[in-house]
């Protein structure tokens, strides 16, 4: 079986083992050693949400999730990410046997992948698309670092990974995949990494919500709807309570409000609430379907485990309509 190349090494992150190790150590060292009255890693926090942009952008934010991640009992690690390279409906499995990193290769859990394939519910990720996709790869070096910190330098002791792309799907389809995966989630020796950035704002993303005439409107609303700036189905906050006394928020204030709505919905633990918020706000959370699937799985496990967000950052504080930004958020759940 083939090894998936670390195709984004040398561009999205450093391809030199020592430089990359030093960078990741630096990111993790800047995260406090205690969160929510717990020492890190948070005991039992075996599910995280973390971003997947280039490390210079999202690495500092991702470190908060990874430092919280409890891998001490892990014998298998699922990685769920969205597809950026081809349209996918449902979920797809890797065909590779290993994922390369500048540190070494992480082994794919072929037994689990084959079990999932035998359900008939999954397709295979085309090999070229797998190599081109960054949403899974960007987590593998971070995971290696945390496995090294947990189990030492002998990589033969590291648990195998189960990379899954989660594509488009209705609420019912997300719930179906969540129920299917919930049997693995119940296993206390299985950890989960959910890959997602949050709001992608800018004309390149065809999404530019702003506050105007008492409403949050999208400058890039489809013209077919007959309105140049579509009003999103979102109730604007009392801006004064957010320290904006003028009542005229900057665009980055609007982005933060939309992301907070999404994060609050995730923390609610209710899959239907998160799905509705994303539909109403049109927020360009690229990993909304992976998040939806893991939320549905958590609900299927007797509703145990809710996410707690511990970090939120943006690549840029947007003020002008021609600008752009991507939001990053990190969360963990104790299961």
């Amino acid at each position: 079986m083939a090894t998936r190349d670390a195709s984004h090494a040398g561009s999205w992150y450093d391809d030199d083992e020592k430089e990359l190790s030093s960078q990741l150590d630096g990111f993790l060292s800047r995260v406090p050693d205690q969160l929510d009255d717990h020492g890190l890693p948070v005991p039992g926090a075996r599910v995280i949400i973390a971003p997947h942009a280039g490390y210079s952008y999202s690495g500092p934010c991702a470190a908060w999730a990874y430092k919280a991640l409890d891998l001490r009992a892990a014998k298998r690690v699922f990685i769920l990410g969205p597809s950026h390279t081809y349209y996918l409906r449902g979920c797809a499995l890797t065909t590779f046997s290993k994922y390369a990193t500048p540190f070494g290769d992480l082994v794919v859990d072929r037994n689990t992948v084959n079990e999932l394939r035998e359900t008939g519910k999954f397709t295979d990720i085309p090999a070229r698309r797998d190599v081109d996709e960054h949403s899974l790869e960007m987590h593998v070096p971070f995971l290696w670092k945390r496995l090294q910190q947990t189990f030492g330098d002998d990589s033969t002791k590291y648990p195998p990974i189960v990379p899954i792309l989660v594509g488009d799907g209705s609420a019912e389809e997300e719930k179906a995949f969540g129920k299917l995966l919930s049997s693995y989630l119940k296993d206390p020796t299985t950890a989960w990494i959910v890959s997602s950035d949050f709001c992608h704002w800018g004309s390149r993303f065809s999404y530019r919500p702003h506050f105007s005439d008492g409403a949050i409107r999208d400058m890039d609303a489809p013209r077919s709807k007959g309105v140049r700036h579509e009003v999103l189905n979102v109730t604007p906050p009392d801006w004064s309570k957010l320290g904006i006394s003028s009542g005229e928020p900057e665009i980055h204030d609007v982005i933060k409000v939309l992301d907070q709505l999404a994060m609050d919905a995730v923390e609610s633990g209710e899959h239907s609430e998160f799905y509705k918020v994303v539909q109403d706000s049109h927020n360009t959370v690229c990993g909304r379907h992976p998040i939806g699937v893991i939320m549905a799985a958590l609900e299927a496990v007797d509703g145990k485990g809710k996410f707690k967000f511990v970090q939120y950052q943006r690549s840029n504080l947007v003020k002008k309509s021609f600008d752009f930004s991507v939001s990053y958020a990190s969360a963990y759940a104790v299961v």
Side-chain angles (χ1 to χ4, degrees), residues 60-249:
C61 181
W64 286 72
Y66 275 96
K67 196 162 181 176
L69 179 62
D70 188 356
L71 294 166
R72 288 170 290 193
K75 294 183 179 179
R76 171 176 54 191
V77 182
F78 279 73
I79 307 175
L80 309 184
S83 176
H84 295 86
T85 62
Y86 74 109
Y87 179 77
L88 172 65
R89 186 89 190 185
C91 296
L93 303 165
T94 187
T95 59
F96 289 102
S97 61
K98 297 179 181 179
Y99 267 48
T101 80
F103 304 127
D105 301 339
L106 285 184
V107 176
V108 171
D109 186 341
R110 299 305 310 173
N111 290 334
T112 299
V113 168
N114 289 335
E115 281 180 6
L116 293 172
R117 185 175 286 117
E118 288 171 2
T119 67
K121 303 296 184 181
F122 296 80
T123 58
D124 286 341
I125 308 170
R128 184 68 253 171
R129 301 297 190 181
D130 200 334
V131 172
D132 291 342
E133 180 58 58
H134 65 273
S135 74
L136 302 175
E137 178 185 342
M138 297 305 294
H139 290 281
V140 182
F142 248 120
L143 175 59
W144 180 289
K145 171 58 69 174
R146 288 291 294 112
L147 291 172
Q148 184 180 48
Q149 292 176 343
T150 304
F151 298 105
D153 293 330
D154 184 359
S155 62
T156 63
K157 297 180 179 178
Y158 298 172
I161 60 174
V162 184
I164 301 176
L165 284 185
V166 181
D168 199 6
S170 65
E172 290 72 23
E173 289 169 320
E174 289 182 2
K175 287 180 179 179
F177 276 108
K179 183 176 181 180
L180 189 158
L181 293 174
S182 65
S183 61
Y184 298 94
L185 182 62
K186 291 177 183 177
D187 179 359
T189 66
T190 298
W192 299 74
I193 297 166
V194 182
S195 177
S196 184
D197 297 335
F198 273 67
C199 181
H200 297 61
W201 196 100
S203 58
R204 68 179 67 180
F205 306 117
S206 300
Y207 186 66
R208 291 185 294 165
H210 69 301
F211 184 74
S212 176
D213 297 329
I216 296 178
R217 306 167 184 271
D218 184 2
M219 287 183 268
D220 290 328
R223 292 177 183 272
S224 61
K225 294 189 177 182
V227 180
R228 181 66 185 93
H229 292 182
E230 178 191 5
V231 177
L232 301 182
N233 189 21
V234 174
T235 302
D238 182 343
W239 298 107
S240 64
K241 291 183 178 179
L242 300 179
I244 305 169
S245 58
S246 66
E248 297 180 3

Side-chain angles (χ1 to χ4, degrees), residues 239-283:
W239 298 107
S240 64
K241 291 183 178 179
L242 300 179
I244 305 169
S245 58
S246 66
E248 297 180 3
E250 299 281 4
I251 292 171
H252 62 80
D253 295 316
V254 176
I255 293 171
K256 186 175 182 180
V257 164
L258 294 172
D259 279 333
Q260 191 63 57
L261 286 172
M263 290 187 288
D264 287 347
V266 172
E267 289 189 332
S268 76
E270 296 182 13
H271 169 268
S272 59
E273 176 64 15
F274 176 67
Y275 194 89
K276 181 179 186 302
V277 165
V278 172
Q279 292 294 306
D280 288 347
S281 66
H282 300 174
N283 197 344

